[in-house]
Structures are given as structure tokens and as C-alpha cells.
């Protein structure tokens, strides 16, 4: 087993493409995940162990949002746990590529945890609004439901777009594959509002319920706009695959 420095160098060479990745994921979450992956490797953990560690941090934080009265202390703890869970979510794939121990079971588990996170984060906010929010109107209870819908549809539609694209490429043979375009700095900046790591920042406002509601509402609107743009883009791409 190599030194931590050696492992980190190997992990840097086993990164996914930066195409379609926001600045936060590229320069904050992936490097943090790389450090965690190196530590997990040294500790003898498997990629699935890392995925479950990610779930522990994330779901523990969301349980606290739902069950504990909002405060500034809770805000800091929840944010720290969520971003740590997100970093471990990056670390599991990096560890799998480093060790060659990834497989369908690990990919399935990772997607199950991601899907659960998408549903539970907005469910936790809904429960917190209902229990502690002192809302100006009960209509605010609809906001987490709408945000949840946008998040889940984006996640599922994006996953389907990826899988259907791979199936089309496989059916038509390697000569049909289109070379990947280089990563765009403009796109990396534009994707920041849709990045889960940026979304986690709103939980730092838990100590000020009005500010939290406002920030959460702005993010919900932004994610809904991104959903509309993504759906139009993915539909055009899939239609092009059929026509090609």
C-alpha cells in the first residue's frame, strides 16, 4: 500500500472528465473527495463502504433538519455534514477507479443513495416548515414539494439520457461515437446554481427562518428553470440519435 501522497497522485490521474461539471464540483468537491478517497484506501475501505459513509452524513443531517428546531448551531452542523456527505459521494467513485473494485452493485447503491437524498432533503425542509416555520401562509408548504419534483425529474431524466445515449452508441458501433467536447469554463460557471454543493449553502441560513425561506425559494425557481432547459436539450439530443 503506497503512501498517501502516492495515492493522491494516482487519484488525480483517475478523474472523470470535467465536461458538464460546475466550478464547485471541479475545484472543491472533487479535490475534497480525492483526500477522503485516499484516506479510505489507506483504511482498507471499499467503494461501497464509502457510499454508505456518505449516506450516514447526509441522512443524519437531514434528520436533524426535520427534527431539531432551527438555530445557527444547527445551521453550521447541518451544512458541515451535508458537504462532507457530498465529498464522500465523490470519493466512492474515485476509490472505485483507483482500485478497480467498482461494479454494477456499487453504481446501483450510489444511485439509490443519490435518489434517497433528492427526496429526503426536500421532505426534511417540508417537515421543518410545518413544525418550526411559523409560515406567513400555508402555501409555503407547497414549495418543498415543487422543489422536490424538479430535483427528482432532473435526476431521473438526466440518468435516462445518459443510459439511452450509451445504448444508442453501443448499437451503432464505435465508429458512430462522437468525440467528447472540451470542458467549457462558461458552462462550469453557469452550472453553479444547479450544483448540489451550492444548494447546501442555503442551510447556513437555518438560524434565520425568513432568510432561509427566501434563499430556498430562489433556488427552487432557479432549479425549475434549469429543469426546463435540460429537458429541452436532452429531448433534442435523443431525437437526434433517432434521426441519425
Amino acid at each position: 500500500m503506497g503512501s498517501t501522497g502516492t495515492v493522491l497522485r494516482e487519484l488525480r490521474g483517475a478523474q472523470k472528465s470535467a465536461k458538464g461539471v460546475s466550478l464547485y464540483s471541479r475545484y472543491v468537491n472533487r479535490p475534497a473527495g480525492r483526500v477522503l478517497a485516499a484516506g479510505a484506501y489507506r483504511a482498507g475501505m471499499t467503494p461501497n463502504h464509502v457510499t454508505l459513509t456518505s449516506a450516514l452524513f447526509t441522512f443524519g443531517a437531514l434528520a436533524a433538519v426535520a427534527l431539531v428546531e432551527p438555530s445557527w448551531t444547527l445551521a453550521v452542523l447541518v451544512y458541515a455534514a451535508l458537504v462532507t456527505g457530498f465529498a464522500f459521494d465523490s470519493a466512492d467513485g474515485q476509490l472505485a477507479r483507483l482500485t478497480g473494485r467498482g461494479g454494477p452493485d456499487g453504481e446501483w447503491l450510489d444511485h439509490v443513495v443519490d435518489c434517497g437524498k433528492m427526496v429526503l432533503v426536500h421532505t426534511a425542509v417540508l417537515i421543518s416548515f410545518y413544525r418550526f416555520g411559523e409560515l406567513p401562509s400555508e402555501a409555503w408548504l407547497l414549495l418543498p414539494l415543487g422543489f422536490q419534483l424538479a430535483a427528482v425529474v432532473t435526476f431521473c431524466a438526466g440518468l435516462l439520457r445518459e443510459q439511452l445515449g450509451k445504448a444508442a452508441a453501443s448499437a451503432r458501433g464505435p465508429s458512430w461515437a462522437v468525440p467528447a467536447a472540451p470542458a467549457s469554463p462558461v458552462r462550469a460557471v453557469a452550472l453553479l446554481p444547479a450544483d448540489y454543493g451550492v444548494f447546501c449553502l442555503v442551510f447556513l441560513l437555518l438560524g434565520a427562518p425568513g432568510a432561509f425561506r427566501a434563499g430556498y425559494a430562489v433556488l427552487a425557481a432557479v432549479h425549475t428553470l434549469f429543469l426546463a432547459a435540460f429537458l429541452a436539450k436532452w429531448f433534442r439530443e435523443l431525437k437526434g440519435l433517432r434521426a441519425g
Side-chain angles (χ1 to χ4, degrees), residues 98-150:
L98 174 69
T99 61
R101 298 176 68 179
D105 60 318
E107 187 172 357
W108 176 84
L109 180 62
D110 185 52
H111 283 98
V112 168
V113 171
D114 284 344
C115 188
K117 174 174 67 180
M118 293 293 174
V119 173
L120 290 177
V121 66
H122 302 293
T123 301
V125 172
L126 175 62
I127 294 171
S128 180
F129 277 3
Y130 180 77
R131 296 187 66 200
F132 311 113
E134 298 182 1
L135 303 175
S137 166
E138 290 186 354
W140 278 95
L141 295 174
L142 298 175
L143 179 61
L145 296 177
F147 203 158
Q148 183 181 80
L149 176 64

